Amino acid sequence: GVSSALAQLPPAPAGVEVTTIHGIEFSTIGNPGNAAFNSSEFEGRPNYRFNDIMQNRGTVNAEYRISRTEITASQWIDFATAIDPYWEGGRNDVRYTGQWTYHDGERYVTDPGREDDPVWRVSWLAAAAFCNWMTNDRRPGPDAFRTGAYDLRGINLANPAAGTPAISQNVNAAFRLPSFDEWNKATFFNPNRDGPGQPGWQRFSLPDDRPPVPGFVEEGGETYVAAVGFPVNRPRPVAAYTGIQTPWGLFDTSGGVFEYTDEFLGIDDLFGVPYYRVLGTDYGWGAGFLAIDEQPGFSSSTRDIANQLRGNSGVRLVWIIPSPNSAVACALGFIAVFNRKRPHEV
């Protein structure tokens, strides 16, 4: 389902290539082999809170694509419908339908007016199954959800058993969740920070490297996050702040919802299942400093997310650009098959 709003996203900044597949717009993130983040570059600057998790991180050695918006409730409908026969939980389990989608007895529908809201409160396992389904070209059948980007074979997606190991990942799959470095580069690395073709890291996600102003868009706000006197009760539609993009053309890295990555953090010591890093600043937190990660007081919710007991995050996709070597290998494989003689040929 592609809404009229998503079909009319504002153009990305000049020089950023945008590609659309299955109604999802992706920005191509260039500058492969970019310099890692170094906090010493920002010492003494105002309005900056350094997150030491980011130190010497952020280098990505290949071009990649990342969705310009978080996946929306309307875009999630087809997935919820397709996986319905194979989901081990209830039909209206929010961990796979998301907050705004439900089964009305005949089909999956989205609450009116929330079609463009980010899909929210889905589990990490549901997000991983979504990536598998996309990698398998959205085909039907149970195998489409179990392998591809993540090996989910033998795992109860609704209630993973204690002792479930870290999920095996295929980094070359067509679609997957962003890595820590990919998410941060697409948000805080500016290919033209110091002038055309002069890249560098920023403190904030806006191209002019200043804190976004919290508030409603109709009142001049630049991000939908908590602030004094600013009522916050749910996420806003994606790209509602039409003029506020990262240097690579991404929306809502500040003020949307927390987003999953595929960076494994460990095995939860209470429930015994793996958990993964979440990034971003959601609608209830502050306005988008560099590499905000697991907000103060958020660790318990992070564990709930990891254990699939309660999801508080959304989904942004990475779409891999095949390397030249893999393209050559595919071409050679095609030639070999094409030139193979049929049994009756001589």
Side-chain angles (χ1 to χ4, degrees), residues 190-233:
N190 189 337
N192 303 298
R193 186 192 68 178
D194 299 319
Q198 300 180 57
W201 288 93
Q202 299 186 165
R203 298 164 294 170
F204 302 96
S205 59
L206 297 182
D208 55 1
D209 197 14
R210 59 177 174 79
V213 177
F216 293 111
V217 64
E218 59 269 22
E219 297 174 358
E222 297 172 318
T223 183
Y224 185 66
V225 296
V228 176
F230 179 42
V232 175
N233 58 8

Side-chain angles (χ1 to χ4, degrees), residues 124 128 132 146-153 155 165-171 274 276:
W124 190 94
N132 285 347
R146 291 292 181 173
T147 61
Y150 305 98
D151 188 353
L152 303 179
R153 290 173 294 182
I155 297 174
I167 306 301
S168 176
Q169 305 175 24
N170 176 8
V171 296
Y276 296 80

Side-chain angles (χ1 to χ4, degrees), residues 231-246:
V232 175
N233 58 8
R234 69 174 181 88
R236 306 295 288 175
V238 300
Y241 296 83
T242 56
I244 307 302
Q245 305 181 37
T246 75

Side-chain angles (χ1 to χ4, degrees), residues 89-327:
R91 175 165 266 176
N92 282 312
D93 187 341
V94 70
R95 294 168 296 177
Y96 100 89
T97 65
Q99 179 69 24
W100 319 121
T101 299
Y102 60 95
H103 198 280
D104 67 359
E106 296 183 2
R107 60 192 178 95
Y108 284 94
V109 296
T110 299
D111 287 338
R114 293 189 171 177
E115 295 86 355
D116 292 338
D117 282 17
V119 66
W120 179 47
R121 298 187 65 195
V122 296
S123 71
W124 190 94
L125 287 176
F130 179 79
C131 293
N132 285 347
W133 182 62
M134 289 285 292
T135 294
N136 289 312
D137 201 28
R138 299 161 58 104
R139 62 177 170 80
D143 293 344
F145 308 98
R146 291 292 181 173
T147 61
Y150 305 98
D151 188 353
L152 303 179
R153 290 173 294 182
I155 297 174
N156 185 311
L157 300 182
N159 295 291
T164 298
I167 306 301
S168 176
Q169 305 175 24
N170 176 8
V171 296
N172 295 315
F175 295 94
R176 55 175 171 79
L177 297 171
S179 70
F180 176 91
D181 297 319
E182 289 166 341
W183 194 97
N184 280 292
K185 179 178 178 179
T187 302
F188 297 110
F189 187 83
N190 189 337
N192 303 298
R193 186 192 68 178
D194 299 319
Q198 300 180 57
W201 288 93
Q202 299 186 165
R203 298 164 294 170
F204 302 96
S205 59
L206 297 182
D208 55 1
D209 197 14
R210 59 177 174 79
V213 177
F216 293 111
V217 64
E218 59 269 22
E219 297 174 358
E222 297 172 318
T223 183
Y224 185 66
V225 296
V228 176
F230 179 42
V232 175
N233 58 8
R234 69 174 181 88
R236 306 295 288 175
V238 300
Y241 296 83
T242 56
I244 307 302
Q245 305 181 37
T246 75
W248 297 101
L250 274 59
F251 294 93
D252 306 312
T253 56
S254 169
V257 293
F258 285 107
E259 300 171 16
Y260 289 119
T261 74
D262 64 9
E263 180 163 302
F264 171 68
L265 292 182
I267 302 296
D268 182 272
D269 57 9
L270 181 59
F271 294 95
V273 295
Y275 62 104
Y276 296 80
R277 195 180 301 280
V278 295
L279 291 173
T281 51
D282 78 355
Y283 67 99
W285 293 91
F289 289 89
L290 176 68
I292 289 288
D293 172 73
E294 295 183 61
Q295 299 280 351
F298 193 68
S299 59
S300 61
S301 293
T302 301
R303 290 195 170 192
D304 283 346
I305 292 167
N307 295 312
Q308 318 309 316
L309 301 179
R310 177 174 58 122
N312 274 335
S313 291
V315 181
R316 193 183 295 266
L317 282 186
V318 158
W319 179 14
I320 292 301
I321 300 173
S323 67
N325 288 340
S326 64

